[in-house]
Amino acid sequence: MPTLLTHFRTHEVPLELSRGGEPGWGDAELHRSARLSDPKGYALLALVPGVLPWQRARVLLEILAASQDGLGEATRATLAKVTRALMFGLPPAYALRALLALRRLRANHKHTTRAIVAFVLEHPDADALIEARRPALVDCLEHALGRSTARTCARLVTASDAAQSATAGEDAQSATASEGAQSATAGEGARLATASEGARPSTGDEAGDAYLRRSLLRFTADPATAIARLRKLYGPGTYGAPAPQEPPAPLDQATEQPPIVTPTNRGDIAATLVHLYQGGPAAELRPALAGYVARATGGLPRLAAHVAVVLDTSRSMRGYGDREWALMSQALALRLVLGKVCERLTVVETGGTAQAPAGSADLAVALLDALAAGPDLVVIVTDGYENHLPGDLARVAATLPRAGVTTPVVLCLAAFTRSDDLTLRHPAPVLPHRPFWHQDDFAGLLPWMFAYCTAGPDWIRTTALARLDGGGR
């Protein structure tokens, strides 16, 4: 799982569609293998915060192109939810590219048809999308329903509209002669017009109604809206209409982007810790700190694992000047969050203490001490400056596999801003590493580090399912 998740977060290559050819994506086999080994886990992994949009589009393509024969009802239901989350959580252009690729692959299962109809006719921004991307959307719909079927549906709706207009005109003339004709006009004119009012849409012809229900409306949860959108899809377009760019239901929470970064605008937990470090009133700040940690971890499941944290508490973690306490407070914030999420947490400090950072960090010895506790995962939290025997951590990390130590070890690099240059701050390049500077980063940092331990996949799956049901982060 760690390899696949890292790929999802680093391989941002667009999905190419050449004229007349199959879609081009060099990592197709990786996606196919992952889906075959665990269809549900593969789909849910796309919901992890930080997964790149083009990778999510690939997952959407893969799960819609594949048959669901042999899958249980629960797995199919989860795949349907993930499909909908991806279609409406991706920028429309990305999702549309994946749906167009299905046509090239000639993939047309029932779940594929249902998904395409939902995207074309139920997308929250469908009206604007139809204006801007009408030919592409028509291609998608005609692939899903069949060209003849889709166009017959459109003709039925158009013919009914014409008949309705004619009836309305005749009734209007009659209304001048008789006030009683007005009620008849209302009754006739209510046929397809009632579509916008929530009633069952009708062509006014029983056979036409049956054809629409059988060929189109059974795939949609909102038949009235679907009829209205179908009418628009096959109507005259507007040249040069702008296409919506933003996803209507983003998969990742918006992150804070302060124009000027200070030690106190990098998340509530770290800001409160900074005030405590600076001598603020503990009686007020500590309850607030507990509340912020509880809020940050609310809805997250417990990780059924023993995690050991090597916490760099050296002098460099304290910093100085305008950045004083910034790194130490963010590292301690991560430690507090892990303490709430992990079933068991062991902390090994190196240098001074979290309350009084001092001296130099002996990360290598601290790693060995952490491993001695027998954890399932070791997380080294540091600023990346190995100011005690530089290179020692890299040598120890390289030796561990040869010594038979298989416990995964990851490195979390505390930074002041997103753009910090960390080139010279990798004390052990062989270890998986990831920077963090803001509390918002924890949403992606936790699944990344947990993916390396045995209990991690279950934690990621549970978290993603909670997000699908609207109860998680």
Side-chain angles (χ1 to χ4, degrees):
M1 177 173 281
T3 302
L4 185 62
L5 185 55
T6 299
H7 181 80
F8 280 8
R9 284 176 154 166
T10 55
H11 191 73
E12 181 66 337
V13 177
L15 193 60
E16 297 292 345
L17 293 181
S18 60
R19 287 185 179 276
E22 292 190 354
W25 46 322
D27 52 350
E29 187 54 37
L30 176 67
H31 280 262
R32 180 173 175 274
S33 300
R35 176 187 56 76
L36 288 174
S37 65
D38 179 9
K40 188 174 178 179
Y42 164 74
L44 290 172
L45 199 61
L47 304 182
V48 170
V51 171
L52 298 170
W54 279 121
Q55 287 297 323
R56 285 174 168 158
R58 284 164 162 80
V59 174
L60 177 62
L61 170 59
E62 181 66 29
I63 60 180
L64 287 179
S67 168
Q68 294 186 351
D69 289 348
L71 299 182
E73 285 303 316
T75 299
R76 292 185 184 210
T78 300
L79 294 181
K81 288 182 179 179
V82 173
T83 296
R84 198 168 181 87
L86 291 175
M87 286 195 306
F88 300 148
L90 279 168
Y94 290 65
L96 187 53
R97 184 80 64 88
L99 300 187
L100 286 170
L102 291 168
R103 183 185 182 196
R104 304 289 179 84
L105 294 172
R106 301 181 185 277
N108 204 351
H109 311 285
K110 280 288 183 294
H111 62 278
T112 313
T113 299
R114 194 172 290 109
I116 292 175
V117 170
F119 182 85
V120 175
L121 302 179
E122 296 178 5
H123 194 284
D125 296 325
D127 290 333
L129 272 175
I130 289 172
E131 288 294 329
R133 302 295 306 272
R134 186 185 311 274
L137 292 172
V138 168
D139 277 354
C140 289
L141 189 68
E142 292 187 351
H143 165 66
L145 301 180
R147 176 179 296 180
S148 174
T149 301
R151 294 184 179 183
T152 300
C153 290
R155 275 198 298 272
L156 284 170
V157 172
T158 304
S160 178
D161 287 346
Q164 180 184 335
S165 298
T167 301
E170 293 170 1
D171 290 342
Q173 291 178 355
S174 300
T176 59
S178 172
E179 293 182 0
Q182 293 180 1
S183 59
T185 300
E188 281 297 311
R191 290 203 310 240
L192 276 182
T194 53
S196 61
E197 298 167 5
R200 172 179 290 183
S202 170
T203 62
D205 173 71
E206 190 172 332
D209 289 350
Y211 188 88
L212 273 179
R213 284 196 299 273
R214 185 174 63 253
S215 304
L216 173 67
L217 301 183
R218 68 189 177 106
F219 296 113
T220 177
D222 187 351
T225 301
I227 288 294
R229 298 264 170 78
L230 182 68
R231 181 186 295 120
K232 192 168 185 177
L233 190 64
Y234 283 89
T238 304
Y239 177 76
Q245 301 296 320
E246 300 299 323
L251 294 170
D252 294 339
Q253 292 184 344
T255 56
E256 193 176 4
Q257 303 285 345
I260 299 176
V261 178
T262 71
T264 55
N265 66 0
R266 302 155 74 251
D268 291 330
I269 301 175
T272 309
L273 287 166
V274 169
H275 291 310
L276 279 168
Y277 278 126
Q278 292 175 339
E284 298 175 13
L285 292 173
R286 291 208 174 277
L289 178 63
Y292 291 135
V293 174
R295 186 185 303 170
T297 56
L300 292 178
R302 297 275 282 177
L303 177 74
H306 175 195
V307 175
V309 171
V310 172
L311 186 60
D312 183 347
T313 52
S314 63
R315 180 66 180 81
S316 64
M317 287 289 286
R318 171 170 176 166
Y320 57 92
D322 293 339
R323 298 188 176 192
E324 188 175 28
W325 300 117
L327 301 191
M328 192 67 247
S329 64
Q330 202 60 268
L332 192 53
L334 178 59
R335 178 245 178 275
L336 292 173
V337 167
L338 288 174
K340 286 288 185 183
V341 174
C342 300
E343 205 166 83
R344 182 182 172 196
L345 186 72
T346 297
V347 180
V348 179
E349 297 180 345
T350 175
T353 65
Q355 288 68 40
S360 59
D362 190 343
L363 296 174
V365 170
L367 171 59
L368 294 175
D369 289 345
L371 288 169
D376 301 299
L377 170 71
V378 176
V379 180
I380 301 175
V381 184
T382 176
D383 57 3
Y385 293 116
E386 190 179 20
N387 36 29
H388 181 85
L389 297 177
D392 211 19
L393 178 64
R395 287 189 287 272
V396 169
T399 304
L400 290 177
R402 295 199 292 271
V405 177
T406 57
T407 305
V409 181
V410 299
L411 198 62
C412 295
L413 293 167
F416 184 66
T417 69
R418 186 188 305 277
S419 57
D420 278 11
D421 184 0
L422 302 177
T423 306
L424 302 177
R425 292 166 59 182
H426 288 300
V430 68
L431 295 178
H433 50 271
R434 189 177 174 88
F436 68 104
W437 73 278
H438 194 286
Q439 183 179 319
D440 289 343
D441 292 341
F442 294 172
L445 195 64
L446 296 186
W448 169 76
M449 65 173 74
F450 292 166
Y452 286 90
C453 69
T454 306
D458 282 344
W459 187 90
I460 292 171
R461 182 183 299 225
T462 304
T463 306
L465 284 171
R467 290 187 69 196
L468 274 181
D469 295 335
R473 294 171 179 278

